[in-house]
Every structure is written in C-alpha cells, then in structure tokens.
Amino acid sequence: MATHKTRMLVIGSGPAGLTAAIYGARAGLEPIVVQGLQPGGQLTITTDVENYPGFRDVIQGPWLMEEMQAQAEHVGTRMLWDTIVDIDLTGSPFRAIGDSGDVYEGETLVVATGAQAKWLGVPGEEELGGKGVSACATCDGFFYRGKKVVVIGGGNTAVEEALYLTNHSQDVTVIHRRDSFRAERILQDRLFAHPNIKVEWNKAVKAFDGDVGAGGLRAVELVDTVTGEASRIETDGAFVAIGHAPATGLFKGKLELDGGGYIVGEPGTPKTSIPGVFACGDVMDHIYRQAVTAAGTGCMAALDAERFLAEREFAAAKEKTSA
Ligand code: FAD
Ligand code: NAP
C-alpha cells in the first residue's frame, strides 16, 4: 500500500475539485486529486450544458469535465483513481485512507465531494433520466420552451424551480405529497400568484411513463395520498425537486455540518471549522449548486490553501530567527 504526500490534497473531481487543483498546481502546491466513484462529478451524467461561461455553442457535460481534468493535469495535478473511506483531521498533515488501502497525506485539504440530487426511486425515473426526467430546472428548463412541465416537491427548491420554469413554459404543475408547502412564505406567495402554475396537492408520483427510445417522457402516474385514487398527468418534462444530499458522511463529527449535512464554513469563504481544511462546491452550498459557482469556490479554496501554507511558513521562519 502506497503513501501519497502532497501540499494540497483534493477530494473530489467535479468542477470545484478540478478548479482548486488548477489553481493549486499553478501555485506550486503539486496537488493530488482523489477522484471518487464519479470522476468529473455530476456534469458527467448530463448532456447539454448551455450556461457555463466561455462557450457560445452548446457543450456536453462529460466533454467539459474531460477538458477541466486535462487542464488540471497539464499544469501539474496528479489524478488518482480511488475513493476516500476514512479521514483523520486531528493534525497536520491531514490523513485520508483510500478504498484501495493507499494513504493520502495533505498539508492542506480541499473537500469537494459535491452533493447528489435525491430521486424518488419509482419505475421509469432512471430510464427516462435526461429524456424528460431531470433534477435541475436551471440546467434543463430551456429544453421545454412552450411545453408542459411538472415539478415534484414542496420545499424551496421545488417552488423556485417551478417559478424558474415559467420563463420557458406556460403550463407548470407542482405535484406535492401533502396539502401545504414547506417553502418560505414569500416564495409560496409568488407561486400562488402566478397565472401559469397549478398545484396538485396530496399526490405522490407512482411512476414515470414514456418511451425510452424515441419520444421520452409522456406522463406521470399519480396516487392520491389521502384517498388512494390513481390519476395521470400528460407532460413533456418532469423535474424532481425533493432535496439534495451532500456527500459528507466521511466528515460527520470531524467538521462542522449544518442540519442538512452541508459543511459549514466561515461566511463568504471556503474555510471550515479546522484551519487548513477548505470546502468548496455543492458540498458547502445548498443554494446555488451550479458548475460555475462550484468552480468559483474551488478557486477560492486553492487561494486560501496557498495563503494558509505561506502564513504558516512565515510564522515558522520568524520563530526560528527569534529563537
Ligand atoms: P460534484 O460535481 O458533485 O463532484 C463531486 C466529486 O466528489 C465527484 O468527482 C465524486 O466522485 C467525488 N467524491 C465524492 N465522495 C468522494 C470520496 N469519498 N472520495 C473521493 N471522491 C469523492 N450545473 C450547471 O452549472 N449547468 C448545468 O447545465 C448543469 N446541469 C446539471 C445536470 C444534472 C443532471 C445534474 C445532476 C447537475 C447539473 N448541474 C449543472 C449542477 C452541477 O453539476 C453541480 O453544481 C456541480 O457539478 C457541483 O460540482 P462539485 O465539484 O461541487 O461536485
Ligand atoms: P427540502 O426543504 O428538504 O424539501 C424537500 C421537499 O421534497 C419537501 O416538500 C418534501 O415533502 C418533498 N419530498 C422529500 N422526499 C420526497 C419523496 N420521496 N416524495 C415526494 N416528495 C418528497 O429540500 P429543498 O427544497 O431542496 O431545500 C433544501 C434546503 O435548501 C432547505 O434548507 C432550503 O431552505 C434550502 N434552499 C434555500 C433556497 C433559498 O434560500 N432561496 C433555495 C433552495 C433551497 P414534505 O414537505 O412532505 O416533507
């Protein structure tokens, strides 16, 4: 079993981790990125990306992530294929154990493990993913211009997604399993006032119906959670908005997490509750959750990691000269 040492250890290879690596490598920190089970992160499971700055034409999510990885490697990042299964943050260097048995030691640590959309787990959902079923209205709403869409959920995300979708669609239906939303009042008021949004209360989605080959999603099959009555809504697009789960299992009891499991940082910075450990991207952001914001906070994490090391070295040198 090998031990890999670096000045900046990055866990996660989505836009946040790879951007941190690009900046870290250019600052001479010789970063190591441990890629995890989804090399390239969430964008590798989508197709068209139209909102990442710098590209006039539609680009493909997997292609964008290949380019980011190539850029990170080009400037000196070592990409390693492993998944971190345990971590020790009690002292520097921080020590991570890979599923392979390899050990990773970082003088600084950048946590970029992302978050995954929660799914309903009903028939048709997985098969029709990207073919009418989505978990990201900001990403995919544009493809439903002038079409009929539904949103499933009753929290802030569902209400915001429904409001956002009215930019593209004149027929938006929110499907919620109870008879009231948990979303903030102000968002609910906006939703109820909107002429193009309807709500189906007390309805759970039983299945997504469609043609995986050509036509994609056709309808959602519903069941009334009070009466048990079955119904069906014909639709072109369905947006599942029932929450996101940050990948922070590794850090429970080791870093400060909020009630939703997201890493809590010093406001406006990627600094966590442990000096030298930085968090960026979806793992610390339950609001924006975009590739560009993940990349932006990845950049901030690397800049702060570099400053942290420089300050530590400056303090050590000063102590030596005054001794
Ligand atoms: P992620 O992309 O989630 O990457 C997390 C990384 O951490 C992965 O590489 C994973 O393997 C790794 N990891 C996790 N746990 C471990 C571990 N224990 N050890 C090692 N590695 C680990 N955003 C847009 O801006 N535009 C879009 O068009 C768009 N489309 C989307 C379409 C879909 C279907 C989805 C799901 C999301 C979309 N998003 C889009 C959102 C965007 O993908 C995310 O905001 C972004 O990927 C977050 O980046 P991240 O680096 O924080 O995390
Ligand atoms: P959330 O608040 O957890 O809401 C999830 C919604 O999905 C709930 O209405 C829940 O129903 C429903 N749901 C969960 N599992 C379901 C299932 N299996 N079947 C059907 N419905 C299901 O998640 P969120 O809306 O993504 O918000 C997450 C956090 O981010 C919150 O803290 C939120 O405030 C925050 N957020 C903030 C903003 C903002 O400030 N603008 C925007 C987005 C998100 P029940 O209500 O019945 O439980």
Side-chain angles (χ1 to χ4, degrees):
M1 299 304 153
T3 297
H4 310 272
K5 297 182 185 212
T6 171
R7 305 202 76 200
M8 190 175 98
L9 176 62
V10 181
I11 308 179
S13 55
L18 291 177
T19 305
I22 290 165
Y23 276 78
R26 297 192 75 247
L29 302 184
E30 299 180 336
I32 287 178
V33 173
V34 182
Q35 304 190 64
L37 289 176
Q38 193 177 55
Q42 293 169 60
L43 278 189
T44 59
I45 58 162
T46 189
T47 50
D48 295 357
V49 174
E50 294 188 71
N51 54 11
Y52 197 83
F55 304 96
R56 182 194 312 213
D57 296 322
V58 177
I59 54 167
Q60 299 299 300
W63 175 82
L64 176 63
M65 297 320 300
E66 273 170 32
E67 290 297 309
M68 267 191 219
Q69 178 175 332
Q71 186 179 1
E73 287 177 311
H74 179 71
V75 288
T77 302
R78 259 194 300 159
M79 303 291 303
L80 295 178
W81 169 252
D82 206 349
T83 296
I84 301 303
V85 292
D86 198 8
I87 193 137
D88 179 357
L89 304 179
T90 52
S92 180
F94 306 111
R95 211 161 174 271
I97 314 292
D99 193 35
S100 64
D102 281 8
V103 174
Y104 302 87
E105 288 184 357
E107 288 176 47
T108 57
L109 176 70
V110 173
V111 180
T113 47
Q116 298 283 327
K118 290 184 194 161
W119 295 95
L120 292 163
V122 299
E125 183 178 52
E126 198 178 338
E127 299 85 327
L128 292 162
K131 297 177 176 119
V133 178
S134 167
C136 181
T138 328
C139 322
D140 298 333
F142 184 74
F143 305 116
Y144 298 92
R145 250 182 314 173
K147 295 187 174 173
K148 195 172 166 177
V149 293
V150 301
V151 176
I152 299 125
N156 275 350
T157 303
V159 172
E160 282 195 340
E161 301 251 277
L163 288 165
Y164 175 81
L165 284 164
T166 60
N167 292 320
H168 305 295
S169 164
Q170 282 73 52
D171 190 343
V172 179
T173 303
V174 179
I175 298 166
H176 184 37
R177 63 184 177 184
R178 293 190 293 119
D179 63 357
S180 64
F181 287 136
R182 67 168 64 221
E184 286 166 56
R185 192 77 247 165
I186 188 169
L187 288 173
Q188 293 196 38
D189 289 346
R190 255 184 248 157
L191 181 131
F192 294 137
H194 204 291
N196 296 341
I197 304 180
K198 297 189 285 285
V199 182
E200 285 280 347
W201 298 111
N202 298 320
K203 299 284 188 302
V205 174
K206 221 171 43 176
F208 293 93
D209 176 33
D211 179 356
V212 176
L217 181 71
R218 257 193 310 263
V220 285
E221 308 276 2
L222 305 178
V223 61
D224 191 296
T225 54
V226 178
T227 64
E229 197 184 325
S231 59
R232 176 183 165 93
I233 299 181
E234 306 287 327
T235 189
D236 300 296
F239 291 86
V240 178
I242 61 168
H244 276 71
T248 49
L250 265 180
F251 304 101
K252 266 186 201 143
K254 297 177 181 175
L255 285 178
E256 190 185 342
L257 306 179
D258 70 11
Y262 289 85
I263 294 175
V264 177
E266 188 181 300
T269 81
K271 293 176 187 165
T272 70
S273 49
I274 298 184
V277 179
F278 305 91
C280 50
D282 282 14
V283 77
M284 45 75 86
D285 167 20
H286 62 264
I287 298 175
Y288 301 106
R289 295 191 299 234
Q290 296 296 297
V292 67
T293 48
T297 52
C299 157
M300 290 159 70
L303 293 177
D304 278 354
E306 186 196 354
R307 269 179 215 138
F308 171 84
L309 289 170
E311 278 165 20
R312 203 175 62 173
E313 276 147 29
F314 181 71
K318 210 167 145 195
E319 204 174 300
K320 216 169 157 190
T321 46
S322 62

